Amino acid sequence: MQILEVNSLKKVYAGRFGGSRVEALKNVSFRVERGEYVAIMGESGSGKTTLLNILAALDKPTGGSVILDGMALSKISDTAAAAFRRDHLGFVFQEFNLLDTFTLEDNIYLPLVLAGKSWRDMQEKLLPIAARLGITDILKKYPYEVSGGQKQRAAVARAMITQPRLILADEPTGSLDSRSTDELLRLFAEVNRLGQTILMVTHSVKAASSAGRVLFIRDGEVFHQIYRGGDSDAQFYQKISDTLTLLATGGRTGREAAQ
């Protein structure tokens, strides 16, 4: 069952005073099934960030549509966008985006506080998530008192606590060392096995190889995708690396060669 439908998405930015126009997205279309784990890769300037901002209802497309769980994002007013993001989307960022003046527990509770949930409801939601992510014993600590990996686990807990339809992850391993990266990817895989849909933008082949499918964006378009199938992480890593090498050297994918 589809949870996300992106149809012929376009985004054009006009220059100041009517100057040159930049076509950030040209014709992006793809589907994400409920419970999928999808990675999006592409060089800087390929349109990944623009796409993520539109999916997060932070920006509006020039053309095309985005439908999340049957709801067209274009129908959401600017005043309702913040509540929509809080209630339907979870976010995991490269820089954690935790408030240093709040404990990890309060950082995780923040979306529920903004939604007006009771203290008891918040505790009932947090305790099983904290146990699953291994952060129960550090909930009373502040972000500056814990490691990068622990911060990122708290950020994942914050993304999960509203039981979102979709988790959007923006370079989630970008600020982590190799050990913390392995830990986060293991957590993502576990969360996905429990049924959570994840869409991750990343430059990291290692991060992408933990997903079930990888979309490659070039010049504002989705031009290729590969599926894990029965591959191990190592086998899928090699497939992704080979695809990136082919693209970097000007080669054509199988789909392009057939056209």
Side-chain angles (χ1 to χ4, degrees):
M1 181 178 178
Q2 290 179 4
I3 192 170
L4 179 67
E5 185 177 342
V6 179
N7 301 306
S8 303
L9 205 63
K10 298 177 177 64
K11 181 63 180 181
V12 177
Y13 293 101
R16 295 184 64 187
F17 311 115
S20 61
R21 291 152 55 90
V22 176
E23 196 173 23
L25 298 175
K26 295 179 180 178
N27 185 26
V28 174
S29 297
F30 63 92
R31 310 286 184 270
V32 176
E33 300 293 322
R34 188 181 304 277
E36 259 200 295
Y37 182 2
V38 179
I40 296 178
M41 301 192 78
E43 296 180 349
S44 296
S46 62
K48 301 188 309 299
T49 299
T50 299
L51 175 60
L52 197 67
N53 286 341
I54 292 174
L55 297 182
L58 293 167
D59 198 358
K60 292 187 179 295
T62 305
S65 64
V66 177
I67 300 172
L68 177 64
D69 211 10
M71 183 183 305
L73 300 197
S74 61
K75 305 296 184 184
I76 301 170
S77 68
D78 291 340
T79 54
F84 171 82
R85 287 191 292 272
R86 182 190 67 221
D87 295 339
H88 300 289
L89 300 172
F91 298 92
V92 180
F93 302 97
Q94 177 178 344
E95 298 298 334
F96 318 125
N97 284 27
L98 299 174
L99 300 174
D100 276 338
T101 54
F102 284 17
T103 63
L104 297 182
E105 180 179 45
D106 289 338
N107 269 286
I108 296 166
Y109 280 154
L110 192 56
L112 299 182
V113 172
L114 295 173
K117 300 297 183 182
S118 70
W119 177 255
R120 176 171 292 181
D121 285 345
M122 291 192 294
Q123 277 193 314
E124 288 178 354
K125 289 179 181 295
L126 175 58
L127 292 178
I129 293 173
R132 189 179 308 142
L133 298 181
I135 57 173
T136 303
D137 59 340
I138 61 170
L139 288 175
K140 299 301 183 182
K141 292 183 177 293
Y142 290 86
Y144 55 82
E145 296 179 309
V146 300
S147 69
Q150 290 171 322
K151 289 178 187 177
Q152 196 61 295
R153 277 186 279 165
V156 172
R158 182 184 57 194
M160 292 174 57
I161 200 164
T162 59
Q163 298 176 311
R165 288 172 168 79
L166 177 67
I167 285 182
L168 297 174
D170 185 9
E171 299 286 359
T173 63
S175 296
L176 301 178
D177 59 28
S178 59
R179 180 177 177 181
S180 296
T181 291
D182 289 343
E183 184 179 308
L184 178 66
L185 296 178
R186 178 185 61 78
L187 290 173
F188 268 19
E190 180 181 341
V191 168
N192 176 245
R193 280 194 296 270
L194 294 172
Q196 177 65 60
T197 310
I198 302 173
L199 185 67
M200 172 176 61
V201 168
T202 183
H203 281 99
S204 167
V205 176
K206 184 173 187 176
S209 66
S210 69
R213 176 164 55 120
V214 181
L215 299 175
F216 298 87
I217 292 186
R218 181 172 64 187
D219 299 330
E221 296 182 275
V222 176
F223 66 92
H224 190 54
Q225 64 178 330
I226 57 176
Y227 288 83
R228 169 188 293 276
D231 291 344
S232 65
D233 283 0
Q235 291 169 325
F236 200 36
Y237 182 105
Q238 191 59 53
K239 277 187 179 179
I240 296 167
S241 296
D242 291 346
T243 302
L244 291 173
T245 299
L246 183 69
L247 301 173
T249 56
R252 294 190 298 169
T253 65
R255 189 184 79 174
E256 290 174 319
Q259 291 176 342

